[in-house]
Amino acid sequence: MQSTPDIVKPASFDLILFGGTGDLAWRKLMPALFQAFRHGSLPEGGRIIGVARDKLTDEQYRSLIETRFREVDGPKQPNADEFARFAAMLHYVRMDPSQPEDYQTLASTLAERDAATVVMYVATAPALFTTVVEQLAAAGLNTPRTRVVLEKPLGHDLASNRAINAAVGRAFGERQIFRIDHYLGKPAVQNLFALRFGNALFEPLWRRENIANIQITIAEDLGVEKRGQFYDSTGALRDMVQNHALQLLCAIAMEPPINAHADAIRDEKLKVLRSLKAWTPETLTQHVIRGQYSAGSRHGKAVPGYLDEAGVPADSDTETYVALRTEIENWRWAGVPFYIRTGKRLAAREAHITVNFRPTPHPIFKAPIGAANKLVINLQPRDGLELHLLAEGRTQRNATASSTGATQTLAPVQLDLDFDKRFGNERVGAYERLLLDVIDGRLNLFVRSDEQEEAWQWVQPILEHWQAGQMPPRPYAAGTWGPSAASAMIARDGHCWSEEA
């Protein structure tokens, strides 16, 4: 393993995108890099080098990226002058990541100017991760000034995750490895940390005595689109729960870190993962719901079921929906259920965390049945906070009232803070933030190997339970909120999902 010095802000950088002509590069990474360039936050003197098997010159690559930018959201599209200046940073190297001799071509390109920082962004199929890092090491490209970025999913199960981390660890030091989870770069998740650790308002309430349950929802209304073959080998548990959802759970449940340094934050997240209640045969059956969408409708138009999607085998049992119940076995959260659900072809595209508080211990006012305070942290498509309260709605007079003859009736009200409206164009997108953090060497928003392994260890019993044929996916119609069994699961605790409240 290479020893690494303290990381400092670079005077110049080379950012190499393995998979430089792929879907992730043009949909997410290039637009994010352009926004950083537009905002003046991308360090000067940098090169962005696309790497792929296609036969392209630098000019052809620039032209390809310019064409792809036409599909980006309007305000984020560059004008001709902006793109011309940004394109001067773009370069291309044709290479096959599986061929050792091609890495010498890349090495020659990097040697042309000896940048202060070299970022290797591996946006390839996960099966190539190990090959790429081993060949980088063999070509002498794992220098102390090199950082490697790995996209999820990092492995297919616990064993493959350990194998990938071991291979990467032989080539790079832990402080050189940036395991990216773009949810951690979302402004709303940053505000979740700010809400918890930058304010004194909620911390005294953030515990089992005051909170009845916490729900994490990551819903998509789209299907698998053109990614059927890839998705069928992944599924909702690997694609969303093992990484995004568990990272959100850690952010909401972790103890306050001693400071804002990367390892202090990641140490506390690791404690949460290690405190998750272990699975038993009974809880695997009762507290995990697996679903697969069938034909239905989206925005009034008929859409096919999962088995009719391109690239999906007709007999596939891959899940497109997961709902589960868990607990965190520590003093702060003992007995508080945490519910996670995620899926494709659901009723809406939205992601939010709902913190449901306990009702008042001795109600003296009339209020709607089941009404209680809740905090909703919206992640997408809206980004903000909603605080749901009860306030006086009207006063009734009746014979059974107090000596005044009046009974106050409370009605639900809410305080709604929309961060996009409040901060507008000042906001930084997830990939823009994370790419700048890699270039600057900040690890706070990236996942450490032990943290990632603990997450895989927790989901592994679910995977094994399914592989044993114990739980075929339940069908649910596209455009609904998933299998009815998910509602039954949460109802057994006396609760309901947020849209059913």
Side-chain angles (χ1 to χ4, degrees):
M1 183 185 297
Q2 299 287 314
S3 61
T4 58
D6 291 338
I7 295 175
V8 296
K9 188 169 183 176
S12 62
F13 72 92
D14 281 340
L15 172 58
I16 296 87
L17 292 179
F18 286 85
T21 59
D23 185 66
L24 180 67
W26 72 261
R27 278 195 311 109
K28 298 292 186 181
L29 303 181
M30 282 297 183
L33 289 165
F34 170 71
Q35 291 303 315
F37 172 80
R38 173 184 271 176
H39 296 153
S41 51
L42 194 63
E44 296 181 4
R47 288 190 303 180
I48 301 167
I49 303 171
V51 168
R53 294 184 176 95
D54 307 76
K55 292 182 179 180
L56 299 172
T57 64
D58 285 355
E59 286 305 319
Q60 288 173 326
Y61 185 60
R62 291 163 185 161
S63 179
L64 173 66
I65 298 302
E66 184 178 22
T67 301
R68 295 298 196 185
F69 269 178
R70 295 171 191 162
E71 302 178 39
V72 174
D73 292 341
K76 295 183 178 180
Q77 289 185 8
N79 59 41
D81 177 64
E82 285 178 320
F83 184 78
R85 289 185 286 114
F86 175 69
M89 303 178 70
L90 302 183
H91 302 269
Y92 184 79
V93 173
R94 179 181 179 270
M95 64 175 286
D96 183 340
S98 65
Q99 298 301 313
E101 59 271 17
D102 285 3
Y103 287 82
Q104 294 304 323
T105 303
L106 178 60
S108 298
T109 301
L110 296 179
E112 292 172 0
R113 65 183 205 132
D114 197 31
T117 296
V118 177
V119 176
M120 303 289 185
Y121 199 119
V122 189
T124 67
L128 282 173
F129 287 175
T130 299
T131 299
V132 170
V133 297
E134 288 177 345
Q135 292 303 325
L136 288 173
L141 293 174
N142 58 334
T143 68
R145 58 194 171 91
T146 306
R147 295 162 195 162
V148 61
V149 183
L150 300 174
E151 270 284 347
K152 65 107 179 161
L154 206 66
H156 194 72
D157 53 16
L158 177 60
S160 58
N161 172 255
R162 284 174 169 165
I164 291 172
N165 275 330
V168 179
R170 287 192 292 270
F172 295 95
E174 182 64 32
R175 290 189 59 79
Q176 294 175 280
I177 305 169
F178 291 71
R179 300 171 188 85
I180 197 166
D181 185 331
H182 74 270
Y183 257 68
L184 292 179
K186 284 181 175 290
V189 178
Q190 298 308 298
N191 273 307
L192 173 56
F193 285 105
L195 173 78
R196 289 211 53 206
F197 307 128
N199 298 280
L201 181 62
F202 288 107
E203 179 57 28
L205 307 176
W206 218 254
R207 53 199 325 105
R208 66 187 184 279
E209 291 87 353
N210 305 302
I211 293 177
N213 67 87
I214 293 178
Q215 301 177 19
I216 298 172
T217 296
I218 308 174
E220 300 179 67
D221 59 354
L222 293 175
V224 295
E225 305 306 295
K226 299 177 182 179
R227 300 169 65 241
Q229 185 174 4
F230 164 78
Y231 191 87
D232 198 65
S233 65
T234 305
L237 185 71
R238 294 181 178 93
D239 190 41
M240 300 298 290
V241 175
Q242 182 273 331
N243 39 69
H244 300 331
L246 286 185
Q247 285 295 318
L248 292 177
L249 184 147
C250 287
I252 205 77
M254 63 189 277
E255 294 296 322
I258 58 172
N259 54 42
H261 294 163
D263 281 335
I265 293 170
R266 299 191 291 185
D267 285 346
E268 296 303 334
K269 289 197 292 176
L270 181 61
K271 290 177 185 177
V272 173
L273 293 168
R274 287 176 172 168
S275 301
L276 287 172
K277 193 170 186 177
W279 295 108
T280 66
E282 181 181 12
T283 58
L284 284 169
T285 300
Q286 295 184 356
H287 294 166
V288 182
I289 307 300
R290 187 187 192 200
Q292 185 185 89
Y293 67 82
S294 56
S297 64
R298 175 177 181 259
H299 304 319
K301 294 183 179 180
V303 293
Y306 178 72
L307 298 181
D308 296 319
E309 300 278 17
V312 175
D315 60 349
S316 172
D317 67 350
T318 296
E319 78 286 352
T320 62
Y321 175 96
V322 176
L324 58 84
R325 178 198 190 278
T326 188
E327 294 180 21
I328 298 172
E329 296 185 305
N330 62 20
W331 276 43
R332 181 186 289 267
W333 296 114
V336 177
F338 286 73
Y339 304 102
I340 294 172
R341 62 174 172 170
T342 183
K344 290 189 174 295
R345 283 284 186 232
L346 296 180
R349 174 183 176 266
E350 60 181 67
H352 59 261
I353 302 168
T354 302
V355 180
N356 290 301
F357 290 90
R358 298 188 185 278
T360 53
H362 178 61
I364 61 173
F365 302 116
K366 293 181 67 175
I369 296 174
N373 303 138
K374 65 179 179 180
L375 174 68
V376 180
I377 303 159
N378 290 310
L379 305 175
Q380 68 178 28
R382 290 185 62 227
D383 175 6
L385 301 174
E386 300 172 19
L387 182 58
H388 293 249
L389 307 168
L390 295 173
E392 183 179 11
R394 62 186 183 277
T395 301
Q396 295 180 339
R397 300 189 66 83
N398 59 57
T400 60
S402 64
S403 59
T404 64
T407 299
Q408 288 180 297
T409 300
L410 304 185
V413 296
Q414 71 182 61
L415 304 175
D416 192 347
L417 175 58
D418 188 319
F419 286 124
D420 285 328
K421 290 180 180 178
R422 169 61 183 83
F423 297 108
N425 294 331
E426 302 172 33
R427 316 215 72 198
V428 176
Y431 272 106
E432 180 182 351
R433 179 189 298 274
L434 293 172
L435 285 164
L436 291 173
D437 279 359
V438 176
I439 294 170
D440 286 348
R442 292 190 293 268
L443 284 156
N444 298 49
L445 303 181
F446 296 85
V447 182
R448 203 168 57 194
S449 60
D450 53 358
E451 193 184 340
Q452 192 177 67
E453 183 173 318
E454 198 68 41
W456 273 114
Q457 190 149 322
W458 187 72
V459 303
Q460 185 67 27
I462 304 176
L463 292 172
E464 293 172 355
H465 186 66
W466 292 351
Q467 288 163 1
Q470 299 296 314
M471 189 184 294
R474 302 168 186 264
Y476 64 96
T480 66
W481 279 106
S484 59
S487 296
M489 175 191 72
I490 193 171
R492 286 195 291 269
D493 291 337
H495 305 308
C496 63
W497 296 108
S498 54
E499 78 280 355
E500 299 171 345

